[in-house]
Amino acid sequence: MSESAVGANINSFKILIVEKNLKEGRVAGNNKFIEYSATKAWLAQFDPKSQGSMVKMLQAMRLVSRDQFSESIRTRLLQVSEKVGGRVGLYVERELPPKNHPPEPLFLQPDIPPRRAYGPGPDPIRPDAGKPAEVGSEGIVAQLVSELCLEFPKKFVNHPGPDQLRKKKKPINNLILVTDLIGSGERAERYLDAFWSVCSVKSWWSGRISNGLSFGVVGYSATPAGRKRVKSHRLSPDVLIVAECPTIDTSFDEKQAREIKDICTKYAPSSGPIGALGFQNTGALIAFAHGAPNNVPRILYSFSNSWTPLFARRKTSATRTDFDEQLDPEEVVAPAKPRFFPGSRIRLSLYWPMSTKN
């Protein structure tokens, strides 16, 4: 089908969507992105009937600009620092070795008792050994963390190790993992597991009522399932995000979701271990200016001899100039005021979405 014909189809579908959204009090988003030539070329690969469903899927996506991402994460971290006692240790979420096995302890520790951890903290970035020149989203997050720690040294510490964490002067009581997205929750869970694998951390955690130790995860977005998985970790982390991550299941009714999933499966390039709906079949509908996560449907980022993706190899550089998400205040997840247990330094922070809509 020609690009002009695709454009005509898009316009008719958009009119129906806009009319429906206006009746429901919502405004359709991402129109500029959908009008982009690269997006139209991607849509032209589908049969005419499927194009309508794919337009709806793109309408439901969060497209996060670089400034929106950086400023939102920065604001959330500053909010955390204002609500806690002591300084905040910041750690950048990344893949931890070995793959397909429990992660190695985050800090160095002897193999024989007493297994007292020692040395510096973990590296914020460690490229894959097979791809030493490639750095993922952790590079963007690491830069943001570094800037905050340099600007506010009395509030934040960059990847503190056990030697720093033991210092009683200017204590670091709150350890925060920073990420862009909690999709399946597996990567954040593994990082928290790496903390737990350190015997000294277990000891500090057992005394948390007196020493005030707490853990948290700050990210731009999270799926409901991923957020639940991380919050259930034995370290009981607070999870603070900017906005919920839409998925196929949370964005559409059961019938429409099934139709979109079937199209994603039908057209997905048949290669690799990841399913048609993305890692662990999450079906996430989000992309950042620094890249698309592997939790989104594979038709968005995987190649084949007969398929050209919209975000080739998960890079969004061709379309990110049209990422201009403006968050509705009702979509922003707001932090609650922290509560303190009488007679102790430990805090309990609760976070809730201002709106119950997905």
Side-chain angles (χ1 to χ4, degrees):
M1 179 179 289
S2 68
E3 187 172 298
S4 59
V6 172
N9 275 341
I10 291 173
N11 287 333
S12 62
F13 289 127
K14 280 168 57 181
I15 290 171
L16 292 174
I17 292 170
V18 169
E19 289 178 348
K20 182 176 184 294
N21 286 336
L22 288 173
K23 288 179 181 178
E24 297 176 358
R26 295 183 285 112
V27 177
N30 302 337
N31 290 338
K32 185 178 177 182
F33 168 74
I34 293 172
E35 290 289 353
Y36 190 65
S37 59
T39 308
K40 288 184 177 181
W42 180 77
L43 287 166
Q45 298 174 103
F46 296 94
D47 64 80
K49 183 179 179 181
S50 298
Q51 285 176 15
S53 294
M54 290 297 97
V55 169
K56 292 178 182 178
M57 187 182 80
L58 296 181
Q59 289 274 12
M61 289 190 72
R62 286 201 184 284
L63 303 174
V64 187
S65 70
R66 191 180 300 274
D67 287 345
Q68 175 75 29
F69 173 77
S70 298
E71 291 305 314
S72 297
I73 293 292
R74 174 187 170 90
T75 297
R76 283 296 187 246
L77 290 172
L78 287 171
Q79 288 173 341
V80 169
S81 72
E82 294 296 331
K83 289 178 167 60
V84 302
R87 292 189 295 171
V88 178
L90 300 181
Y91 299 83
V92 177
E93 184 204 71
R94 61 174 173 83
E95 293 285 356
L96 294 178
K99 290 183 177 180
N100 304 317
H101 294 282
E104 298 171 353
L106 197 63
F107 303 140
L108 297 172
Q109 61 182 357
D111 293 330
I112 57 175
R115 304 189 68 187
R116 179 184 170 91
Y118 64 93
D123 295 329
I125 301 174
R126 185 181 294 178
D128 191 305
K131 302 176 182 177
E134 293 187 14
V135 177
S137 61
E138 63 267 24
I140 300 293
V141 178
Q143 180 183 4
L144 191 156
V145 165
S146 179
E147 289 175 353
L148 269 177
C149 292
L150 290 172
E151 187 176 355
F152 302 102
K154 294 182 180 180
K155 294 183 178 181
F156 301 109
V157 182
N158 198 343
H159 292 76
D163 296 340
Q164 285 179 287
L165 294 174
R166 287 194 184 92
K167 292 181 179 179
K168 294 184 178 180
K169 186 178 181 180
K170 298 180 180 179
I172 306 170
N173 298 328
N174 308 278
L175 307 183
I176 303 294
L177 183 62
V178 188
T179 185
D180 55 355
L181 173 68
I182 303 172
S184 68
E186 179 177 298
R187 201 156 81 159
E189 182 183 66
R190 280 178 59 82
Y191 207 103
L192 294 170
D193 284 344
F195 268 118
W196 186 252
S197 297
V198 180
C199 293
S200 292
V201 172
K202 288 189 178 79
S203 176
W204 299 335
W205 183 247
S206 67
R208 61 190 179 278
I209 292 180
S210 59
N211 64 35
L213 179 65
S214 68
F215 288 83
V217 180
V218 170
Y220 186 88
S221 193
T223 65
R227 192 176 186 183
K228 181 179 179 180
R229 179 175 180 176
V230 173
K231 285 177 69 69
S232 67
H233 194 273
R234 68 186 75 195
L235 288 173
S236 303
D238 293 330
V239 178
L240 178 57
I241 61 174
V242 177
E244 298 287 350
C245 175
T247 67
I248 294 173
D249 285 326
T250 61
S251 299
F252 302 97
D253 61 37
E254 185 176 353
K255 180 181 178 182
Q256 183 71 69
R258 182 72 266 161
E259 183 178 330
I260 290 174
K261 288 179 181 179
D262 287 344
I263 296 170
C264 290
T265 301
K266 175 182 177 181
Y267 286 90
S270 56
S271 62
I274 296 178
L277 301 181
F279 184 69
Q280 294 194 355
N281 286 316
T282 304
L285 299 179
I286 191 168
F288 300 91
H290 57 261
N294 66 352
N295 308 89
V296 302
R298 281 199 299 113
I299 55 172
L300 290 170
Y301 67 85
S302 291
F303 276 100
S304 76
N305 292 333
S306 59
W307 189 259
T308 301
L310 185 55
F311 307 132
R313 299 180 181 87
R314 294 168 50 197
K315 304 300 180 185
T316 58
S317 53
T319 54
R320 65 187 176 203
T321 55
D322 293 319
F323 286 15
D324 56 354
E325 175 176 60
Q326 298 296 319
L327 288 175
D328 185 316
E330 291 187 357
E331 294 180 300
V332 177
V333 179
K337 294 181 179 179
R339 296 189 303 175
F340 293 87
F341 292 115
S344 75
R345 292 164 60 201
I346 190 170
R347 65 185 172 80
L348 173 64
S349 297
L350 303 177
Y351 303 100
W352 75 92
M354 294 177 67
S355 171
T356 57
K357 67 181 180 182
N358 291 318

